[in-house]
């Protein structure tokens, strides 16, 4: 037997109320050690639901990391970046450092917002 997790049984339960194209599936997954557990998943078809299960489990480490880090840490790091950019802008007599740091922060924030929306669409609690 391979050292991989396998979906051993699936069942389509109901349509999602929030996203009309999506269906709720109950997927029984057999772990490497032989234990079987049921995982709810949403998708337009079975393949999409299995992909969403994989996506959620791959991204859980990121969610655990952001839940462990206090919000004030992000503000402190952002403040240090802005102070450094302000010092460099003053030293070089050019506002490009501040504009560059602000643009980078906006791009990173927008990217995280976009990724969060994609992950949230596949989360079970959001689709009930």
């Amino acid at each position: 037997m391979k050292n991989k997790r396998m979906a051993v049984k699936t069942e389509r339960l109901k349509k999602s109320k929030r996203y009309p194209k999506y269906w709720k599936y109950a997927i029984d997954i057999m772990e490497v050690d032989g234990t079987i557990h049921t995982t709810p998943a949403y998708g337009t078809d079975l393949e999409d639901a299995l992909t969403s299960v994989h996506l959620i489990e791959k991204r859980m480490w990121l969610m655990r990391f952001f839940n462990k880090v206090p919000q004030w840490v992000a503000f402190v790091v952002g403040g240090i970046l802005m102070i450094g950019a302000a010092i460099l802008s003053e030293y070089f007599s050019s506002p490009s450092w501040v504009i560059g740091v602000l643009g980078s922060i906006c791009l990173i924030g927008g990217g995280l917002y976009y990724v969060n929306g994609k992950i949230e669409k596949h989360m079970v609690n959001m689709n009930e």
Side-chain angles (χ1 to χ4, degrees):
M1 185 171 171
K2 295 182 182 179
N3 290 334
K4 291 186 176 182
R5 301 169 62 215
M6 294 188 296
V8 291
K9 180 184 163 195
T10 60
E11 183 179 354
R12 187 164 75 173
L13 301 176
K14 65 179 182 175
K15 269 195 172 230
S16 171
K17 294 176 185 169
R18 192 168 194 182
Y19 301 102
K21 290 184 185 178
Y22 284 75
W23 287 85
K24 182 176 184 178
Y25 291 88
I27 301 172
D28 292 342
I29 297 176
M30 185 169 67
E31 299 291 339
V32 176
D33 62 357
T35 59
I36 296 176
H37 63 91
T38 302
T39 302
Y42 280 85
T44 54
D45 57 4
L46 182 58
E47 184 178 356
D48 191 38
L50 288 171
T51 302
S52 72
V53 169
H54 182 69
L55 173 75
I56 290 168
E57 289 178 0
K58 259 182 99 170
R59 303 295 191 256
M60 287 306 284
W61 68 269
L62 184 66
M63 296 167 102
R64 282 193 305 269
F65 173 76
F66 282 123
N67 287 337
K68 285 181 187 176
V69 177
Q71 193 174 14
W72 65 267
V73 172
F75 287 119
V76 168
V77 170
I80 290 170
L81 286 173
M82 289 306 299
I83 290 170
I87 291 170
L88 287 172
S89 291
E90 186 67 31
Y91 181 75
F92 289 111
S93 299
S94 170
S96 61
W97 289 96
V98 173
I99 293 169
V101 169
L102 280 174
S104 299
I105 290 173
C106 289
L107 282 174
I108 291 170
L112 289 174
Y113 181 77
Y114 177 76
V115 169
N116 184 42
K118 288 289 189 183
I119 293 173
E120 206 173 71
K121 193 176 210 179
H122 292 283
M123 297 298 281
V124 174
N125 294 340
M126 297 301 295
N127 291 316
E128 290 292 347

